[in-house]
Amino acid sequence: QVQLVQSGTEVKEPGASVKVSCKASGYSFTDYYMHWVRQAPGQGLEWMAWINPDSGTNYAQKFQGWVTVTRDTSISTAYMELRRLKSDDTAVYYCARGLAGSSPGFEHWGQGTLVTVSS
Amino acid sequence: QSALTQPASVSGSPGQSITISCTGTSSDVGTYNYVSWYQQYPGKAPKLMIYDVSNRPSGVSNRFSGSKSGNTASLAISGLQAEDEADYYCSSYTSSSTRVFGGGTKLTVL
């Protein structure tokens, strides 16, 4: 079965960077989009970026220049790095695998990684 | 890219039907048949309920259905059950090949 297992909770100071990982199993890692979505405490979902099967990337305008998504196909793991952290970047960050074919939804989700930004 | 517009809350009694709307623009919902819906319980990851406007993934109850008219998509839930009480989010593909979510709707089963 498809599984996305994310790295653990992070606590960072303002101005620091964080890199969250998402290890995939149960499917062909290189055949699907991987998305990153975040959710601030008590708030809604916010789409951040995707990396596609060709390792192309696309970012929400808000995150361009300070978020980078990458992947290592040798270990079926995707990464999301967020730089110059601010307190309002405190959120749960999810990876989410796309659907098969051309459908652009999010079929499988990781368990989420809580990133807390605090001095 | 602005968030899609959803009502903050809806409610219904067990057995009733409810509908949640999701309004976008001609750059997203209005042009593409790529609206999806997610159910989220507190502290849990979202779950895909509907994709491509009206398709249900395997395992999702047929009490859930989706539709679209113009710039507005809708999620309908029939025969409300206590377990349907959750937050629901819509999402759409956009003209920039990005994705955008709605603000979320809290469903209360009375």
Side-chain angles (χ1 to χ4, degrees), chain A residues 67-87:
Chain A
V67 170
T68 302
V69 295
T70 57
R71 67 179 189 172
D72 184 339
T73 58
S74 68
I75 55 172
S76 299
T77 300
Y79 301 93
M80 185 282 300
E81 182 178 28
L82 188 58
R83 299 177 290 280
R84 304 189 302 274
L85 289 166
K86 306 180 297 288
S87 58

Side-chain angles (χ1 to χ4, degrees), chain A residues 33 35 37 39 43-47 50 58-61 94 99 102-107 109-110, chain B residues 1 34 36 38 40 43-48 51-52 89 91 93 96-103:
Chain A
Y33 280 65
H35 298 264
V37 175
Q39 187 170 36
Q43 302 301 309
L45 301 172
E46 181 175 30
W47 182 82
W50 56 244
N58 199 1
Y59 299 88
Q61 189 170 16
Y94 293 100
L99 284 151
S102 60
S103 295
F106 318 106
E107 186 173 18
W109 294 69
Chain B
Q1 184 73 48
Y34 287 144
S36 50
Y38 303 86
Q40 186 181 35
K44 300 296 186 182
K47 174 187 175 183
L48 177 67
Y51 67 96
D52 295 356
Y89 294 90
S91 177
Y93 177 86
S96 304
S97 194
T98 59
R99 313 291 187 264
V100 61
F101 282 101

Side-chain angles (χ1 to χ4, degrees), chain A residues 99-106, chain B residues 32-38 48-57 66-68 73 91-93:
Chain A
L99 284 151
S102 60
S103 295
F106 318 106
Chain B
Y32 304 100
N33 290 323
Y34 287 144
V35 175
S36 50
W37 290 89
Y38 303 86
L48 177 67
M49 304 301 284
I50 296 287
Y51 67 96
D52 295 356
V53 175
S54 59
N55 294 312
R56 270 188 316 274
S67 62
K68 192 188 88 166
S91 177
S92 177
Y93 177 86

Side-chain angles (χ1 to χ4, degrees), chain A residues 44-64:
Chain A
L45 301 172
E46 181 175 30
W47 182 82
M48 300 176 68
W50 56 244
I51 183 165
N52 70 12
D54 297 323
S55 290
T57 56
N58 199 1
Y59 299 88
Q61 189 170 16
K62 171 180 180 176
F63 296 104
Q64 286 182 0

Side-chain angles (χ1 to χ4, degrees), chain A residues 3-35:
Chain A
Q3 279 196 305
L4 301 175
V5 179
Q6 298 184 222
S7 48
T9 298
E10 301 266 11
V11 179
K12 296 290 184 180
E13 293 191 347
S17 299
V18 68
K19 193 170 187 178
V20 178
S21 67
C22 171
K23 182 166 177 59
S25 61
Y27 71 98
S28 178
F29 181 71
T30 52
D31 286 348
Y32 291 84
Y33 280 65
M34 188 71 81
H35 298 264

